[in-house]
Amino acid sequence: MHPAIPVNTIAQIIQLALAPVFLLTGIASILNVLSARLGRVVDRARLLEAELGGYDPLARARARSELRILGRRMAAAHWAIALCTLSALFVCVVVALMFVADFVEFRLSSAVAPLFVATMALLIAGLLLFLYEVQIATRSVRVRGEILEDIGDKS
């Protein structure tokens, strides 16, 4: 560590290292949405599983079909959460490296760029899985709407 680093330099280092922390706020918001969606899917799956035995054969088949869809949604949301969490972790590592890099003789800049690219790749993958989960949910609602229309035609 350098013996006497001016306070202005330290302030500038902190400012530079903390700039990516704003990215953490965005990732935290995404994680909040994802975990809420996952919670709703899990609650719906638990409800269906608990009531499955009391359904007639047709309703039981529909419930099992919905459980398969919910399973796909849970998996997509789980992986989206995992990837976005890893992205947030990588942001923390980048911030730490940027802060430490100015205090050690060894330049860590060669590690910062690839880590930031990996951060963005993980976030992109997490967002794509989030989009996939929303698409599954939307399609399943559309299918249920078509089923209701078919039932209405038979009445």
Side-chain angles (χ1 to χ4, degrees), residues 4-155:
I5 299 175
V7 173
N8 288 345
T9 304
I10 292 173
Q12 189 177 30
I13 292 168
I14 291 171
Q15 190 176 27
L16 225 141
L18 291 180
V21 172
F22 291 106
L23 180 59
L24 285 174
T25 304
I27 295 171
S29 296
I30 293 166
L31 286 169
N32 188 30
V33 169
L34 286 168
S35 58
R37 290 184 70 86
L38 179 60
R40 290 185 66 175
V41 172
V42 167
D43 289 345
R44 177 67 181 149
R46 285 182 179 155
L47 179 70
L48 277 176
E49 287 173 345
E51 296 177 349
L52 197 61
Y55 291 151
D56 62 68
L58 181 60
R60 189 175 299 130
R62 285 187 186 146
R64 284 190 177 134
S65 175
E66 186 174 350
L67 282 168
R68 281 190 291 276
I69 291 168
L70 292 172
R72 288 179 35 219
R73 287 183 62 193
M74 281 188 275
H78 165 78
W79 281 106
I81 289 170
L83 292 172
C84 288
T85 302
L86 278 173
S87 177
L89 179 66
F90 277 33
V91 169
C92 294
V93 171
V94 166
V95 168
L97 285 176
M98 288 173 64
F99 187 76
V100 170
D102 283 334
F103 292 105
V104 295
E105 297 298 321
F106 182 71
R107 300 305 282 165
L108 299 171
S109 58
S110 59
V112 170
L115 273 172
F116 190 74
V117 169
T119 298
M120 291 295 101
L122 288 166
L123 184 58
I124 289 167
L127 289 171
L128 286 171
L129 279 167
F130 174 53
L131 182 63
Y132 175 66
E133 189 273 333
V134 169
Q135 190 176 32
I136 294 169
T138 305
R139 278 195 218 144
S140 70
V141 170
R142 218 178 302 142
V143 167
R144 260 194 254 134
E146 291 168 4
I147 290 170
L148 290 174
E149 288 173 11
D150 288 345
I151 292 171
D153 291 341
K154 293 177 184 177
S155 302

